[in-house]
Amino acid sequence: MERNPPASIESAASAVGRISKHLEQGAPWDACDAFRDAIDLHPQDAELLFWGALAHARSGAIHVARALLDRAQAASPEPGRLTDILSLRGRLWKDAYHRAPDSPGAMALAGRARDEYLTNYEREHDPFPGINAATLSWLLGDRAQAQRLAKEVAAQLAAQAAPRTFWDIASAGEAELLLGQFDKARESYAEAYRAAAGDAGSIATMRRQVNLLARALPEAREIARVLPVPDVIAFAGHMIDAPGRPVPRFPPALAPAVRAELHEQLARLHRPIVYTSAACGADLIFIEAALERGAEVNVVLPFDRDDFVRTSVAVGGAEWLGRFDAALARATRVIMATEESHLGDDVLFEHAAMLLEGFTVLRASQLETAPCMLCVIDAESTGRLGGTHASLERWQRNIGAARTIDLAKLRSAKGHSDRSERSAVDPDQPSPNAGLLGAAPRNDMPRPQRTMKTMVFADFAGSSRLHDAMAPLFQESFWKIGAAQIEASRAKPLLATTWGDALYVVFDSAREGAEFALAFLERVSAVDWTAMGLLESGQVRTALHAGPVFSGFDPIMGRENYFGSSVTKCARIEPVTPPGMVYASEAFAATLAATGQTEFELEYVGQLALAKGYGASRIYRVERR
């Protein structure tokens, strides 16, 4: 008699349900993590492997998805699921084309995708691969084959006896588009949207296909209007005025007006997904309003929670403490930009602001929509590092337009004079509410201020097994490649140093770090290292992280050096990076996305345990687009 499995072991079917739910919510990162939690318990389950592949495909992780499809197909899936597996193979080639449709090899990728779908369609004559083969044929300029396939698919769907799924209805709409029946196509897609019942992930997939087809069929652009997905919003806003503020900016009496304005803005949004911090004032008022609207709320805290409460919540008064705790308890996710203390470094606020902006951009990309920023701001005031003005200016410079609620106009409308709440309290003295949680820990030791930097760590897997006879040749070659890449880099590193087979490089920006890491990997991979005694060639592991670091003169090295927990984290990512790849922290991915870059692809890998017991972290793979 077999024992029943422990209750703590989740069944494969239950795990598939969790993955499916995350995908419906348009959260493929969470779906990937749910898959990773379950697959070690059910390594040969074809259904689980397929859903894991789908989760990774929707998160943009093409390489992982392809490997999971290989495993799913080898696990003898049901005939219907085999069709889905083969179709998803076609989608991965199609996604590679969609990433860079104007690149030299783009049409070859589209052709590969069309051939995968066409082979699958000819095997079972399932409408889903058939309509994809039709659309790709259109993109490849074969209009005759596209319309022939579209007619076949339309006829199959019309004759279908079983109840139609929303995928069937969307496929019919796609066929109608290809056949020039644009009004019917719009009606079909509207019906598919209603039938999908809020499945944001699937609706995003429909939009992706429509946007792809619109490159060669402009009429398809109109269809996206009947396929709305959640609006993804980055929020920034001023704190409530502390007692004694000499010139009012956000006086407490203005809170009801701000709340009303935020409710009005949220009412215009479709199933909003928001990223915000949680300071007293605009942040917490916004979170409360968003939760009332049923929004998904993601909170980014810049540093240690107790320190944040002291610096950014308690200063507004005791009432904000309970509101802060209640808001975080209901948030979908609370993201710590760093677990370290504030230590008076406002660059940590800047770091957190860039992360929440980057998360917004990444999430909107997954949903095939444009991200937006909403700000509660005093247009007449000046900004500071990490403040609302800095966020708004960065967003407008790198991402696009933003919506604003102007506190100056609200003060004027409500009759608040800029002199009406002046006080004799010295603005440079601590707020009387700052001690609600007790004094902040003292740290009187002199130290440098932290600044934002990007770190690159790289080492050569297997070099420690080299015999002394070959070690000098290997080391000299490795150092020369590093030196050549530094010389060739447009932006020179602030620091570049080696020890053994490892390379540590520091840059000002995430873009500079990504460019160096990928170019260095390309140079190393071009060398035949087996001639130097290694078992494999080009096995360099490269890690990227962006975060706040200290810098100071190192008397041993005789130059400036960089150190702190962010440097340590990057060093702990490198050992878990597969050879021949560049892995990056979630913070690096978000920082890069916040700059509006389009040169690099960020594939979500999953939540990985870092080296030397450094905890788990969400990791991305970085590639050129």
Side-chain angles (χ1 to χ4, degrees):
M1 177 188 240
E2 289 185 34
R3 293 183 303 167
N4 289 326
S8 60
I9 296 179
E10 184 180 35
S11 70
S14 177
V16 165
R18 280 203 300 137
I19 295 166
S20 175
K21 187 65 176 176
H22 286 310
L23 292 177
E24 286 178 11
Q25 294 168 342
W29 297 322
D30 296 326
C32 292
D33 290 340
F35 168 77
R36 282 183 170 273
D37 289 344
I39 191 57
D40 286 344
L41 299 173
H42 312 285
Q44 302 301 319
D45 190 284
E47 189 72 0
L48 180 59
L49 287 162
F50 167 76
W51 281 92
L54 181 60
H56 283 85
R58 288 194 183 176
S59 72
I62 290 176
H63 298 84
V64 178
R66 191 170 285 128
L68 292 173
L69 286 177
D70 290 342
R71 291 173 60 187
Q73 191 167 347
S76 303
E78 295 293 323
R81 187 57 79 205
L82 178 59
T83 296
D84 294 335
I85 289 169
L86 296 175
S87 292
L88 188 50
R89 287 191 187 281
R91 176 198 164 139
L92 296 179
W93 291 110
K94 181 175 64 177
D95 286 352
Y97 165 77
H98 192 46
R99 285 179 173 182
D102 299 317
S103 66
M107 298 315 289
L109 293 171
R112 182 73 182 268
R114 190 266 309 274
D115 292 347
E116 290 274 7
Y117 280 121
L118 193 56
T119 299
N120 192 16
Y121 176 64
E122 290 171 348
R123 188 181 64 86
E124 292 284 345
H125 279 81
D126 185 288
F128 184 72
I131 196 59
N132 277 281
T135 287
L136 286 158
S137 295
W138 188 280
L139 290 170
L140 288 163
D142 191 346
R143 306 296 166 83
Q145 174 164 269
Q147 293 197 326
R148 177 182 64 79
L149 290 168
K151 287 178 182 177
E152 288 182 17
V153 167
Q156 287 175 281
L157 291 170
Q160 193 171 279
R164 297 203 302 174
T165 67
F166 62 81
W167 286 122
D168 293 331
I169 302 167
S171 295
E174 196 168 337
E176 289 156 357
L177 270 177
L178 293 170
L179 294 171
Q181 300 166 359
F182 302 126
D183 289 341
K184 289 182 66 176
R186 185 182 178 88
E187 293 172 6
S188 293
Y189 275 108
E191 183 184 352
Y193 175 81
R194 292 190 295 272
D199 182 340
S202 295
I203 294 165
T205 298
M206 295 181 206
R207 285 173 63 96
R208 188 180 185 86
Q209 186 78 347
V210 166
N211 290 337
L212 186 69
L213 184 54
R215 291 183 60 83
L217 188 63
E219 290 83 356
R221 292 194 184 96
E222 291 296 312
I223 299 299
R225 296 184 182 181
V226 301
L227 297 172
V229 289
D231 289 305
V232 189
I233 308 297
F235 180 81
H238 291 309
M239 291 169 57
I240 205 83
D241 287 354
R245 181 183 175 93
V247 178
R249 183 179 66 183
F250 187 175
L254 210 59
V258 170
R259 183 179 297 108
E261 290 280 342
L262 286 172
H263 271 292
E264 184 178 333
Q265 290 285 342
L266 285 162
R268 301 173 188 171
L269 303 175
H270 178 67
R271 299 178 62 203
I273 297 170
V274 303
Y275 291 85
T276 178
S277 193
C280 61
D283 287 351
L284 284 172
I285 295 171
F286 174 70
I287 291 173
E288 292 165 350
L291 289 170
E292 287 175 22
R293 292 281 177 180
E296 175 191 315
V297 174
N298 301 277
V299 176
V300 180
L301 297 184
F303 41 77
D304 171 78
R305 178 168 172 155
D306 287 345
D307 256 13
F308 180 76
V309 171
R310 288 188 186 94
T311 61
S312 307
V313 181
V315 292
E319 69 162 300
W320 294 98
L321 298 177
R323 295 171 74 172
F324 172 82
D325 289 336
L328 265 62
R330 295 180 62 192
T332 299
R333 186 182 175 207
V334 177
I335 303 161
M336 302 301 300
T338 175
E339 302 281 354
E340 300 296 328
S341 300
H342 177 218
L343 302 178
D345 291 342
D346 283 350
V347 71
L348 272 64
F349 289 108
E350 184 86 349
H351 178 43
M354 289 191 72
L355 293 193
L356 76 85
E357 293 158 27
F359 291 142
T360 303
V361 172
L362 291 170
R363 188 71 176 276
S365 175
Q366 291 174 345
L367 291 172
E368 287 289 316
T369 189
C372 182
M373 172 168 273
L374 174 61
C375 285
V376 172
I377 192 167
D378 183 345
E380 297 178 357
S381 66
T382 57
R384 63 170 178 79
L385 183 67
T388 303
H389 281 276
S391 290
L392 178 59
E393 289 167 7
R394 182 171 49 247
W395 185 274
Q396 291 174 328
R397 181 174 64 250
N398 295 329
I399 309 300
R403 304 176 188 177
T404 61
I405 297 171
D406 189 350
L407 289 170
K409 289 183 178 179
L410 288 181
R411 287 197 309 272
S412 176
K414 297 297 179 181
H416 288 276
S417 166
D418 281 351
R419 302 181 58 86
S420 64
E421 297 189 22
R422 288 185 181 271
S423 161
V425 177
D426 185 344
D428 293 326
Q429 293 298 314
S431 161
N433 295 317
L436 287 171
L437 289 185
R442 290 182 62 86
N443 188 341
D444 297 328
M445 293 181 62
R447 59 172 183 80
Q449 295 286 297
R450 283 169 285 190
T451 56
M452 281 293 298
K453 295 290 180 280
T454 291
M455 286 69 65
V456 183
F457 270 90
D459 84 342
F460 206 107
S463 64
S464 61
R465 296 189 293 274
L466 271 175
H467 294 296
D468 275 358
M470 303 304 295
L473 177 59
F474 164 80
Q475 205 63 62
E476 181 183 5
S477 300
F478 186 77
W479 285 338
K480 282 184 177 179
I481 291 173
Q485 186 52 50
I486 290 169
E487 179 63 28
S489 297
R490 285 177 291 180
K492 304 305 179 190
L494 304 171
L495 171 71
T497 187
T498 65
W499 56 95
D501 65 337
L503 178 67
Y504 168 41
V505 190
V506 179
F507 289 93
D508 266 325
S509 77
R511 189 209 163 277
E512 292 166 356
E515 177 60 39
F516 180 90
L518 291 168
F520 179 70
L521 175 61
E522 290 162 7
R523 283 178 182 263
V524 171
S525 300
V527 176
D528 180 11
W529 297 95
T530 58
M532 300 180 199
L534 290 170
L535 295 177
E536 296 182 75
S537 195
Q539 296 295 290
V540 69
R541 300 179 298 204
T542 310
L544 288 159
H545 178 56
V549 299
F550 294 108
S551 64
F553 182 77
D554 185 333
I556 297 174
M557 297 173 62
R559 61 186 174 189
E560 197 80 1
N561 203 352
Y562 297 85
F563 54 95
S565 62
S566 289
V567 177
T568 305
K569 182 165 187 175
C570 190
R572 298 298 178 259
I573 296 172
E574 176 265 307
V576 303
T577 302
M581 295 186 188
V582 176
Y583 271 11
S585 66
E586 182 179 47
F588 175 88
T591 302
L592 188 63
T595 66
Q597 69 81 30
T598 57
E599 302 168 68
F600 306 102
E601 201 65 51
L602 296 164
E603 289 191 0
Y604 183 60
V605 174
Q607 187 153 290
L608 303 185
L610 304 187
K612 298 186 179 181
Y614 205 73
S617 182
R618 289 187 172 195
I619 299 295
Y620 285 74
R621 179 179 178 178
V622 183
E623 290 189 312
R624 295 190 191 281
R625 181 161 287 183

